[in-house]
Amino acid sequence: MDTIRIMLLVLTVMTIPLRLDALQEDDLGKVTYDRWCSECHGVDGSGNGSAAGFMLPRPRNFTLAQYQIRTTASGDLPTDQNMLDAINNGAPGTAMPAWDDLLSEPEKQALVQYLKTFSRFFPDDEVPQSLDFGGSTRTSEEVVAEGRRQYEAIECWKCHGDQGRGDGESSPTLVDDTGFPAAAADLTENWFFNGGDDVEDIYRAIRTGLDGTPMPNFSDVLDAGVITEEELWAVAHYVRSLSPEEVPGISEVVQARLIEDLDVPRSVADEIWNETEGVYIPLVGQIIVQPRWFNPRVDGVWVKAFHNGEDISVMVRWSDPNNSPDQAWSDWKSQVVTTMEPKEGGDTGIGASPDQLVVQFPMQMPEGMERPYFLKGDSRRPVYLWEWKSDRQTALEGEARGVGTESFQAEGQDLSVEGVHKDGQWQVVFTRPLLTEDENDLDFITGEAIPMSFFAWDGDNGESGNQGALSSWYFLMLEEATPTAVYVAPPLAMLLAGALGLLMVRNAQKREKENI
Ligand code: HEC
Ligand code: HEC
């Protein structure tokens, strides 16, 4: 054998495993993608997987190479690290899951490379360049105040609203680049930001925009000298200050504090509400019975309560950009309805729907662990309801023995209500005597963990009937005059709640099966 041939042989042997490796990486990307991503993003990456029609925002169309989470300039491609971060963290507040713990490092790396193959925009040779953001400045009251001034000056409020709840004057008209309605983010809920919740993430979103959505980038105003880098960091600190310092933990129990010798607060404006922070209760779209709802506007409510031994007041507040029905939002509504409805055959979106809130309790205090079915009870374990609607200033008490059996008493109401809409937020205060004559109305007894859950609808987001948002069971606990019992009960109630969460899921699954 001559040397040339020997060298060729050696070379071939050396390159075979290399090529195998390369093949394996391609395969790994495709196999992982087809298995975990294609149902939403489509086998061809076009964003049209079989589940895509059920969600807003829609799964990303990778053929357009438009990425929200970028450290690169608006209009530029993301870095590999940006794509990896998006895969790891998901997009909170959308259907895009966080794959952090679910996939291995090689799988995720392979996915990044595979996603690029869907688009001809990714060149082989160029590496996208990250912008220089400088470092985060320190925050302080002055910095936040400066941020607020700039928030006004560069008109973030036009979309996000004066208090940041996504209710600016442009908000009903916003659509993404593919024509779907795009809600301006609620800046008071940083745990739902697509690109992360801390001040660096916020600054990145402001500097580079969220490509493909109406959220612009503000690098241009910086380059034009309209605003300094420090001032733009101040805006990020201001936005960060609109959300709680910590993501609200899941607390299963709403404490109704005892205020002896005082009337309970019946008005939203009562100062006593400021004395307690309230409990955050997450809501999700109703997807158990037809017609389902995959695009709920209300993603959580804050709940506070007081009682004085005679009466109880419960205040529920939540972000909602407008008081429905509202002419300014009628286009938004019909767009959402035509985008979401055809598959589910819900209401046609014709006619005006108000915003609504229903608070649900068991009709009788359950013995032991059993609670009514959380979706409006059943014949064995009925529920007792408080209903409020934005188009009437009264609340109704009612009952239900299953979905669709709700009935509300027009007469003999013990319940009063005040609902106020301001700056993209509803605040609704219900007041009722603890005990009533009506045997179908739950009596509120101190020291007991009273199951309580919530349903909310945004009428101008196309929500009514079964198509709205709901929570699982939580507990309302009226503080007793004797502190020891109160001390023991909440941890117990929390244990119960944990067990109940499981029970609820199992019940729902059982019912699903029975319905098939
Ligand atoms: C249940 C549906 C669903 C699944 C499964 C899913 N995605 Fe997504 N994905 C979405 C949605 C919806 C968006 C759009 C979010 C938005 O626009 O805010 C998205 C957006 C993305 C983005 C864009 C991030 C950015 O910066 O703009 C990437 C990248 C992505 N997905 C990758 C993946 C990968 C990789 C997988 C599989 C491991 C996957 N997705 C699985 C629903 C899904
Ligand atoms: C033209 C309307 C518009 C303007 C002006 C605007 N935004 Fe946005 N912004 C949006 C929309 C829409 C979204 C949600 C995009 C999505 O996820 O679909 C958003 C999202 C955000 C987010 C969430 C980022 C994330 O990771 O999800 C932040 C923070 C934000 N904007 C801050 C600002 C600030 C600060 C300003 C002013 C400097 C501003 N926005 C100006 C429309 C706007």
CSV table of all heavy atoms in Angstrom, one decimal, residues 341-397:
chain,number,residue,atom,x,y,z
A,341,GLU,N,-63.2,30.8,19.1
A,341,GLU,CA,-64.5,30.1,19.2
A,341,GLU,C,-64.7,28.9,18.3
A,341,GLU,O,-65.3,28.0,18.7
A,341,GLU,CB,-65.7,31.1,19.0
A,341,GLU,CG,-65.8,32.1,20.1
A,341,GLU,CD,-66.5,31.6,21.3
A,341,GLU,OE1,-67.1,30.5,21.2
A,341,GLU,OE2,-66.4,32.2,22.3
A,342,PRO,N,-64.4,29.0,17.0
A,342,PRO,CA,-65.0,28.0,16.1
A,342,PRO,C,-64.9,26.6,16.6
A,342,PRO,O,-65.7,25.8,16.3
A,342,PRO,CB,-64.1,28.3,14.8
A,342,PRO,CG,-63.6,29.6,14.9
A,342,PRO,CD,-63.4,29.9,16.4
A,343,LYS,N,-63.8,26.3,17.3
A,343,LYS,CA,-63.6,24.9,17.7
A,343,LYS,C,-64.5,24.5,18.8
A,343,LYS,O,-64.8,23.3,19.0
A,343,LYS,CB,-62.1,24.7,18.2
A,343,LYS,CG,-61.1,25.0,17.1
A,343,LYS,CD,-59.8,25.4,17.7
A,343,LYS,CE,-59.8,26.7,18.4
A,343,LYS,NZ,-60.0,27.9,17.5
A,344,GLU,N,-65.0,25.4,19.6
A,344,GLU,CA,-65.6,25.1,20.8
A,344,GLU,C,-67.1,25.4,20.8
A,344,GLU,O,-67.9,25.0,21.7
A,344,GLU,CB,-65.0,25.8,22.0
A,344,GLU,CG,-63.6,25.3,22.3
A,344,GLU,CD,-63.6,23.9,22.9
A,344,GLU,OE1,-64.5,23.6,23.6
A,344,GLU,OE2,-62.6,23.1,22.6
A,345,GLY,N,-67.6,26.1,19.8
A,345,GLY,CA,-69.0,26.3,19.7
A,345,GLY,C,-69.6,27.1,20.8
A,345,GLY,O,-70.7,26.7,21.3
A,346,GLY,N,-68.9,28.0,21.4
A,346,GLY,CA,-69.4,28.7,22.5
A,346,GLY,C,-70.3,29.9,22.0
A,346,GLY,O,-70.8,29.8,20.9
A,347,ASP,N,-70.5,30.9,22.9
A,347,ASP,CA,-71.4,32.0,22.4
A,347,ASP,C,-70.8,32.7,21.2
A,347,ASP,O,-69.6,32.6,21.0
A,347,ASP,CB,-71.8,32.9,23.6
A,347,ASP,CG,-71.0,34.2,23.7
A,347,ASP,OD1,-70.8,34.8,22.7
A,347,ASP,OD2,-70.7,34.5,24.8
A,348,THR,N,-71.6,33.3,20.4
A,348,THR,CA,-71.1,33.8,19.1
A,348,THR,C,-70.4,35.1,19.3
A,348,THR,O,-69.9,35.7,18.4
A,348,THR,CB,-72.2,34.0,18.2
A,348,THR,OG1,-73.2,34.8,18.9
A,348,THR,CG2,-72.8,32.7,17.8
A,349,GLY,N,-70.4,35.6,20.6
A,349,GLY,CA,-69.7,36.9,20.8
A,349,GLY,C,-70.6,38.1,20.4
A,349,GLY,O,-70.3,39.2,20.6
A,350,ILE,N,-71.8,37.7,20.0
A,350,ILE,CA,-72.8,38.8,19.6
A,350,ILE,C,-73.5,39.2,20.9
A,350,ILE,O,-73.8,38.4,21.8
A,350,ILE,CB,-73.8,38.3,18.6
A,350,ILE,CG1,-73.1,37.9,17.3
A,350,ILE,CG2,-74.9,39.4,18.4
A,350,ILE,CD1,-74.0,37.1,16.4
A,351,GLY,N,-73.7,40.5,21.1
A,351,GLY,CA,-74.3,41.0,22.3
A,351,GLY,C,-73.2,41.4,23.3
A,351,GLY,O,-72.1,40.9,23.2
A,352,ALA,N,-73.6,42.2,24.2
A,352,ALA,CA,-72.7,42.7,25.2
A,352,ALA,C,-72.6,41.8,26.4
A,352,ALA,O,-73.6,41.4,26.9
A,352,ALA,CB,-73.1,44.1,25.6
A,353,SER,N,-71.4,41.5,26.8
A,353,SER,CA,-71.2,40.7,28.1
A,353,SER,C,-70.6,41.6,29.1
A,353,SER,O,-69.6,42.2,28.8
A,353,SER,CB,-70.4,39.5,27.8
A,353,SER,OG,-70.7,38.9,26.6
A,354,PRO,N,-71.1,41.6,30.3
A,354,PRO,CA,-70.4,42.3,31.4
A,354,PRO,C,-69.2,41.6,31.9
A,354,PRO,O,-69.0,40.4,31.6
A,354,PRO,CB,-71.5,42.4,32.5
A,354,PRO,CG,-72.3,41.1,32.3
A,354,PRO,CD,-72.3,40.8,30.8
A,355,ASP,N,-68.4,42.2,32.8
A,355,ASP,CA,-67.5,41.5,33.6
A,355,ASP,C,-68.2,40.8,34.7
A,355,ASP,O,-69.2,41.3,35.2
A,355,ASP,CB,-66.4,42.4,34.1
A,355,ASP,CG,-65.6,43.1,33.0
A,355,ASP,OD1,-65.4,42.5,32.0
A,355,ASP,OD2,-65.2,44.3,33.2
A,356,GLN,N,-67.7,39.7,35.2
A,356,GLN,CA,-68.4,39.0,36.3
A,356,GLN,C,-67.5,38.4,37.3
A,356,GLN,O,-66.3,38.0,36.9
A,356,GLN,CB,-69.3,37.8,35.7
A,356,GLN,CG,-70.3,38.2,34.7
A,356,GLN,CD,-71.0,37.0,34.2
A,356,GLN,OE1,-71.6,36.2,34.9
A,356,GLN,NE2,-70.9,36.7,32.9
A,357,LEU,N,-68.0,38.2,38.5
A,357,LEU,CA,-67.2,37.5,39.5
A,357,LEU,C,-68.2,36.6,40.3
A,357,LEU,O,-69.3,37.1,40.6
A,357,LEU,CB,-66.5,38.4,40.5
A,357,LEU,CG,-65.7,37.8,41.6
A,357,LEU,CD1,-64.4,37.2,41.0
A,357,LEU,CD2,-65.4,38.7,42.7
A,358,VAL,N,-67.9,35.3,40.5
A,358,VAL,CA,-68.7,34.5,41.3
A,358,VAL,C,-67.8,33.9,42.4
A,358,VAL,O,-66.7,33.4,42.1
A,358,VAL,CB,-69.3,33.3,40.5
A,358,VAL,CG1,-69.9,32.3,41.5
A,358,VAL,CG2,-70.5,33.9,39.7
A,359,VAL,N,-68.2,34.1,43.7
A,359,VAL,CA,-67.5,33.4,44.8
A,359,VAL,C,-68.3,32.2,45.2
A,359,VAL,O,-69.5,32.3,45.4
A,359,VAL,CB,-67.3,34.4,46.0
A,359,VAL,CG1,-66.4,33.8,47.0
A,359,VAL,CG2,-66.8,35.7,45.5
A,360,GLN,N,-67.7,31.1,45.3
A,360,GLN,CA,-68.4,29.8,45.6
A,360,GLN,C,-68.0,29.3,47.0
A,360,GLN,O,-66.8,29.3,47.4
A,360,GLN,CB,-68.0,28.8,44.5
A,360,GLN,CG,-68.5,27.4,44.7
A,360,GLN,CD,-68.1,26.5,43.5
A,360,GLN,OE1,-68.8,26.5,42.5
A,360,GLN,NE2,-67.0,25.8,43.7
A,361,PHE,N,-69.0,28.8,47.7
A,361,PHE,CA,-68.8,28.1,49.0
A,361,PHE,C,-69.6,26.8,48.9
A,361,PHE,O,-70.6,26.7,48.1
A,361,PHE,CB,-69.3,29.0,50.1
A,361,PHE,CG,-68.8,30.4,50.2
A,361,PHE,CD1,-69.4,31.5,49.6
A,361,PHE,CD2,-67.6,30.6,50.9
A,361,PHE,CE1,-68.9,32.7,49.7
A,361,PHE,CE2,-67.0,31.9,51.0
A,361,PHE,CZ,-67.7,33.0,50.4
A,362,PRO,N,-69.4,25.9,49.8
A,362,PRO,CA,-70.3,24.8,49.9
A,362,PRO,C,-71.6,25.3,50.5
A,362,PRO,O,-71.6,26.3,51.3
A,362,PRO,CB,-69.6,23.8,50.9
A,362,PRO,CG,-68.5,24.5,51.5
A,362,PRO,CD,-68.3,25.8,50.8
A,363,MET,N,-72.7,24.7,50.2
A,363,MET,CA,-74.0,25.1,50.8
A,363,MET,C,-74.0,24.8,52.3
A,363,MET,O,-74.5,25.6,53.1
A,363,MET,CB,-75.2,24.5,50.1
A,363,MET,CG,-76.5,25.1,50.4
A,363,MET,SD,-77.8,24.3,49.6
A,363,MET,CE,-77.7,24.9,47.9
A,364,GLN,N,-73.5,23.6,52.7
A,364,GLN,CA,-73.3,23.3,54.1
A,364,GLN,C,-71.9,23.0,54.3
A,364,GLN,O,-71.2,22.5,53.4
A,364,GLN,CB,-74.1,22.0,54.4
A,364,GLN,CG,-75.3,22.2,55.3
A,364,GLN,CD,-76.5,22.4,54.5
A,364,GLN,OE1,-76.8,21.6,53.6
A,364,GLN,NE2,-77.3,23.4,54.8
A,365,MET,N,-71.4,23.3,55.6
A,365,MET,CA,-70.1,23.0,55.9
A,365,MET,C,-69.9,21.5,55.8
A,365,MET,O,-70.6,20.7,56.4
A,365,MET,CB,-69.7,23.5,57.3
A,365,MET,CG,-69.1,24.9,57.3
A,365,MET,SD,-67.7,25.1,56.3
A,365,MET,CE,-66.4,24.5,57.4
A,366,PRO,N,-68.9,21.1,55.0
A,366,PRO,CA,-68.7,19.6,54.8
A,366,PRO,C,-68.2,19.0,56.1
A,366,PRO,O,-67.5,19.6,56.9
A,366,PRO,CB,-67.7,19.5,53.7
A,366,PRO,CG,-67.0,20.9,53.7
A,366,PRO,CD,-67.9,21.9,54.3
A,367,GLU,N,-68.5,17.7,56.3
A,367,GLU,CA,-67.9,17.0,57.4
A,367,GLU,C,-66.7,16.3,56.9
A,367,GLU,O,-66.7,15.7,55.8
A,367,GLU,CB,-68.9,16.0,58.0
A,367,GLU,CG,-70.0,16.7,58.8
A,367,GLU,CD,-71.1,15.8,59.2
A,367,GLU,OE1,-70.9,14.5,59.2
A,367,GLU,OE2,-72.2,16.3,59.5
A,368,GLY,N,-65.6,16.4,57.6
A,368,GLY,CA,-64.3,15.7,57.2
A,368,GLY,C,-63.8,16.4,56.0
A,368,GLY,O,-63.9,17.6,55.8
A,369,MET,N,-63.2,15.6,55.1
A,369,MET,CA,-62.4,16.1,54.0
A,369,MET,C,-63.2,16.4,52.7
A,369,MET,O,-62.8,17.0,51.8
A,369,MET,CB,-61.3,15.1,53.6
A,369,MET,CG,-60.3,14.9,54.7
A,369,MET,SD,-58.9,16.0,54.3
A,369,MET,CE,-58.4,15.3,52.8
A,370,GLU,N,-64.4,15.9,52.7
A,370,GLU,CA,-65.2,15.9,51.4
A,370,GLU,C,-65.6,17.4,51.1
A,370,GLU,O,-66.2,18.0,51.9
A,370,GLU,CB,-66.3,15.0,51.4
A,370,GLU,CG,-65.9,13.5,51.2
A,370,GLU,CD,-66.9,12.8,50.4
A,370,GLU,OE1,-67.1,13.1,49.2
A,370,GLU,OE2,-67.6,11.9,51.0
A,371,ARG,N,-65.3,17.8,49.9
A,371,ARG,CA,-65.8,19.1,49.5
A,371,ARG,C,-66.7,18.9,48.3
A,371,ARG,O,-66.6,17.9,47.6
A,371,ARG,CB,-64.7,20.0,49.0
A,371,ARG,CG,-63.5,20.2,50.0
A,371,ARG,CD,-64.0,20.9,51.2
A,371,ARG,NE,-63.7,20.1,52.4
A,371,ARG,CZ,-62.9,20.6,53.4
A,371,ARG,NH1,-62.5,21.8,53.5
A,371,ARG,NH2,-62.7,19.8,54.4
A,372,PRO,N,-67.6,19.9,48.0
A,372,PRO,CA,-68.4,19.8,46.7
A,372,PRO,C,-67.4,19.7,45.5
A,372,PRO,O,-66.3,20.2,45.6
A,372,PRO,CB,-69.2,21.0,46.7
A,372,PRO,CG,-69.2,21.6,48.1
A,372,PRO,CD,-67.9,21.1,48.7
A,373,TYR,N,-67.9,19.2,44.4
A,373,TYR,CA,-67.1,19.2,43.2
A,373,TYR,C,-66.9,20.7,42.9
A,373,TYR,O,-67.8,21.5,43.0
A,373,TYR,CB,-68.0,18.6,42.1
A,373,TYR,CG,-67.3,18.6,40.7
A,373,TYR,CD1,-65.9,18.2,40.6
A,373,TYR,CD2,-67.9,18.9,39.6
A,373,TYR,CE1,-65.3,18.2,39.4
A,373,TYR,CE2,-67.3,18.9,38.3
A,373,TYR,CZ,-66.0,18.6,38.3
A,373,TYR,OH,-65.3,18.6,37.1
A,374,PHE,N,-65.6,21.1,42.6
A,374,PHE,CA,-65.3,22.5,42.5
A,374,PHE,C,-65.9,23.2,41.4
A,374,PHE,O,-66.0,24.4,41.4
A,374,PHE,CB,-63.8,22.7,42.5
A,374,PHE,CG,-63.1,22.3,41.2
A,374,PHE,CD1,-62.7,23.3,40.3
A,374,PHE,CD2,-63.0,21.0,40.8
A,374,PHE,CE1,-62.2,23.0,39.1
A,374,PHE,CE2,-62.4,20.7,39.5
A,374,PHE,CZ,-62.0,21.7,38.7
A,375,LEU,N,-66.4,22.5,40.4
A,375,LEU,CA,-67.1,23.1,39.3
A,375,LEU,C,-68.6,23.1,39.6
A,375,LEU,O,-69.4,22.3,39.1
A,375,LEU,CB,-66.9,22.3,38.0
A,375,LEU,CG,-66.1,23.0,36.9
A,375,LEU,CD1,-66.1,22.1,35.6
A,375,LEU,CD2,-66.5,24.4,36.6
A,376,LYS,N,-69.0,24.0,40.5
A,376,LYS,CA,-70.5,24.2,40.8
A,376,LYS,C,-71.2,23.1,41.5
A,376,LYS,O,-72.4,22.9,41.4
A,376,LYS,CB,-71.2,24.6,39.5
A,376,LYS,CG,-70.6,25.8,38.8
A,376,LYS,CD,-71.0,27.1,39.4
A,376,LYS,CE,-70.2,28.3,38.8
A,376,LYS,NZ,-70.6,28.7,37.5
A,377,GLY,N,-70.4,22.2,42.2
A,377,GLY,CA,-71.0,21.2,43.0
A,377,GLY,C,-71.8,20.1,42.2
A,377,GLY,O,-71.6,20.0,41.0
A,378,ASP,N,-72.5,19.3,42.9
A,378,ASP,CA,-73.4,18.3,42.3
A,378,ASP,C,-74.6,18.1,43.2
A,378,ASP,O,-74.8,18.8,44.2
A,378,ASP,CB,-72.6,17.0,42.0
A,378,ASP,CG,-72.0,16.4,43.2
A,378,ASP,OD1,-72.5,16.6,44.4
A,378,ASP,OD2,-71.0,15.7,43.1
A,379,SER,N,-75.5,17.1,42.9
A,379,SER,CA,-76.7,17.0,43.6
A,379,SER,C,-76.5,16.6,45.0
A,379,SER,O,-77.3,17.0,45.9
A,379,SER,CB,-77.7,16.0,42.9
A,379,SER,OG,-77.0,14.8,42.7
A,380,ARG,N,-75.5,15.8,45.3
A,380,ARG,CA,-75.3,15.4,46.7
A,380,ARG,C,-74.6,16.6,47.5
A,380,ARG,O,-74.9,16.7,48.7
A,380,ARG,CB,-74.3,14.2,46.7
A,380,ARG,CG,-75.0,13.0,47.2
A,380,ARG,CD,-74.2,11.7,47.2
A,380,ARG,NE,-72.8,11.8,46.8
A,380,ARG,CZ,-71.8,11.7,47.6
A,380,ARG,NH1,-72.0,11.6,48.9
A,380,ARG,NH2,-70.5,11.8,47.2
A,381,ARG,N,-73.8,17.3,46.9
A,381,ARG,CA,-73.1,18.4,47.6
A,381,ARG,C,-73.2,19.7,46.8
A,381,ARG,O,-72.3,20.1,46.1
A,381,ARG,CB,-71.6,18.0,47.8
A,381,ARG,CG,-71.4,17.0,48.9
A,381,ARG,CD,-69.9,16.8,49.2
A,381,ARG,NE,-69.3,16.1,48.0
A,381,ARG,CZ,-69.3,14.8,47.9
A,381,ARG,NH1,-69.8,14.0,48.8
A,381,ARG,NH2,-68.7,14.3,46.8
A,382,PRO,N,-74.3,20.4,47.1
A,382,PRO,CA,-74.6,21.6,46.3
A,382,PRO,C,-73.7,22.7,46.8
A,382,PRO,O,-73.1,22.6,47.9
A,382,PRO,CB,-76.0,21.9,46.6
A,382,PRO,CG,-76.3,21.2,47.9
A,382,PRO,CD,-75.4,20.0,47.9
A,383,VAL,N,-73.6,23.8,46.0
A,383,VAL,CA,-72.8,25.0,46.4
A,383,VAL,C,-73.6,26.2,46.6
A,383,VAL,O,-74.7,26.3,46.0
A,383,VAL,CB,-71.6,25.2,45.4
A,383,VAL,CG1,-70.6,24.2,45.4
A,383,VAL,CG2,-72.2,25.4,44.0
A,384,TYR,N,-73.1,27.1,47.3
A,384,TYR,CA,-73.8,28.4,47.6
A,384,TYR,C,-72.9,29.5,46.9
A,384,TYR,O,-71.7,29.5,47.1
A,384,TYR,CB,-73.8,28.6,49.1
A,384,TYR,CG,-74.1,30.0,49.6
A,384,TYR,CD1,-75.2,30.7,49.3
A,384,TYR,CD2,-73.1,30.6,50.4
A,384,TYR,CE1,-75.4,32.0,49.8
A,384,TYR,CE2,-73.3,31.9,50.9
A,384,TYR,CZ,-74.5,32.6,50.5
A,384,TYR,OH,-74.6,33.9,51.0
A,385,LEU,N,-73.5,30.4,46.2
A,385,LEU,CA,-72.8,31.3,45.3
A,385,LEU,C,-73.1,32.8,45.6
A,385,LEU,O,-74.2,33.1,45.9
A,385,LEU,CB,-73.1,31.1,43.8
A,385,LEU,CG,-73.0,29.6,43.4
A,385,LEU,CD1,-73.6,29.4,42.0
A,385,LEU,CD2,-71.5,29.2,43.3
A,386,TRP,N,-72.1,33.6,45.4
A,386,TRP,CA,-72.2,35.1,45.4
A,386,TRP,C,-71.9,35.5,43.9
A,386,TRP,O,-70.8,35.2,43.4
A,386,TRP,CB,-71.2,35.8,46.3
A,386,TRP,CG,-71.4,35.6,47.7
A,386,TRP,CD1,-72.5,35.0,48.4
A,386,TRP,CD2,-70.5,36.0,48.8
A,386,TRP,NE1,-72.2,35.0,49.7
A,386,TRP,CE2,-71.1,35.6,50.0
A,386,TRP,CE3,-69.3,36.7,48.8
A,386,TRP,CZ2,-70.4,35.9,51.2
A,386,TRP,CZ3,-68.6,36.9,50.0
A,386,TRP,CH2,-69.2,36.5,51.2
A,387,GLU,N,-72.9,36.2,43.3
A,387,GLU,CA,-72.6,36.6,41.9
A,387,GLU,C,-72.6,38.2,41.8
A,387,GLU,O,-73.6,38.8,42.3
A,387,GLU,CB,-73.7,36.0,41.0
A,387,GLU,CG,-73.4,36.4,39.5
A,387,GLU,CD,-74.6,36.2,38.7
A,387,GLU,OE1,-75.6,36.9,38.9
A,387,GLU,OE2,-74.6,35.4,37.7
A,388,TRP,N,-71.6,38.7,41.2
A,388,TRP,CA,-71.5,40.1,40.9
A,388,TRP,C,-71.3,40.3,39.4
A,388,TRP,O,-70.6,39.5,38.8
A,388,TRP,CB,-70.4,40.8,41.7
A,388,TRP,CG,-70.0,42.1,41.2
A,388,TRP,CD1,-70.6,43.3,41.5
A,388,TRP,CD2,-69.1,42.5,40.2
A,388,TRP,NE1,-70.1,44.4,40.8
A,388,TRP,CE2,-69.1,43.9,40.0
A,388,TRP,CE3,-68.2,41.7,39.4
A,388,TRP,CZ2,-68.3,44.5,39.1
A,388,TRP,CZ3,-67.4,42.4,38.5
A,388,TRP,CH2,-67.4,43.8,38.3
A,389,LYS,N,-72.0,41.3,38.8
A,389,LYS,CA,-71.8,41.6,37.4
A,389,LYS,C,-71.6,43.1,37.3
A,389,LYS,O,-72.3,43.9,38.0
A,389,LYS,CB,-73.1,41.2,36.6
A,389,LYS,CG,-73.2,39.7,36.4
A,389,LYS,CD,-74.4,39.4,35.5
A,389,LYS,CE,-74.5,37.9,35.3
A,389,LYS,NZ,-75.5,37.5,34.3
A,390,SER,N,-70.8,43.5,36.3
A,390,SER,CA,-70.4,44.9,36.2
A,390,SER,C,-71.6,45.8,35.7
A,390,SER,O,-71.5,47.0,35.8
A,390,SER,CB,-69.2,45.1,35.2
A,390,SER,OG,-69.5,44.5,34.0
A,391,ASP,N,-72.6,45.2,35.1
A,391,ASP,CA,-73.7,46.0,34.6
A,391,ASP,C,-74.9,46.2,35.5
A,391,ASP,O,-75.9,46.6,35.2
A,391,ASP,CB,-74.2,45.5,33.2
A,391,ASP,CG,-74.7,44.0,33.3
A,391,ASP,OD1,-74.6,43.4,34.4
A,391,ASP,OD2,-75.1,43.5,32.2
A,392,ARG,N,-74.7,45.7,36.8
A,392,ARG,CA,-75.7,46.0,37.8
A,392,ARG,C,-75.0,46.1,39.1
A,392,ARG,O,-74.0,45.4,39.4
A,392,ARG,CB,-76.8,45.0,37.9
A,392,ARG,CG,-76.3,43.6,38.2
A,392,ARG,CD,-77.5,42.7,38.6
A,392,ARG,NE,-77.3,41.3,38.3
A,392,ARG,CZ,-76.5,40.5,38.9
A,392,ARG,NH1,-75.7,40.9,39.8
A,392,ARG,NH2,-76.4,39.2,38.5
A,393,GLN,N,-75.4,47.1,39.9
A,393,GLN,CA,-74.7,47.3,41.2
A,393,GLN,C,-75.3,46.6,42.4
A,393,GLN,O,-75.4,47.1,43.5
A,393,GLN,CB,-74.6,48.8,41.5
A,393,GLN,CG,-73.5,49.5,40.6
A,393,GLN,CD,-72.1,48.9,40.8
A,393,GLN,OE1,-71.7,48.5,41.9
A,393,GLN,NE2,-71.3,48.9,39.8
A,394,THR,N,-75.7,45.4,42.1
A,394,THR,CA,-76.2,44.5,43.2
A,394,THR,C,-75.5,43.2,43.1
A,394,THR,O,-75.0,42.8,42.0
A,394,THR,CB,-77.7,44.3,43.2
A,394,THR,OG1,-78.0,43.8,41.9
A,394,THR,CG2,-78.5,45.5,43.5
A,395,ALA,N,-75.4,42.4,44.2
A,395,ALA,CA,-74.9,41.1,44.2
A,395,ALA,C,-76.0,40.1,44.5
A,395,ALA,O,-77.0,40.5,45.2
A,395,ALA,CB,-73.8,40.9,45.2
A,396,LEU,N,-76.0,39.0,43.8
A,396,LEU,CA,-77.1,38.0,44.1
A,396,LEU,C,-76.5,36.8,44.8
A,396,LEU,O,-75.4,36.4,44.5
A,396,LEU,CB,-77.7,37.6,42.7
A,396,LEU,CG,-78.3,38.7,41.9
A,396,LEU,CD1,-79.0,38.1,40.6
A,396,LEU,CD2,-79.4,39.4,42.7
A,397,GLU,N,-77.3,36.2,45.7
A,397,GLU,CA,-76.9,34.9,46.2
A,397,GLU,C,-77.6,33.8,45.4
A,397,GLU,O,-78.7,34.0,45.0
A,397,GLU,CB,-77.4,34.8,47.7
A,397,GLU,CG,-76.8,35.8,48.6
A,397,GLU,CD,-77.4,35.8,50.0
A,397,GLU,OE1,-78.4,36.5,50.2
A,397,GLU,OE2,-76.9,35.1,50.9
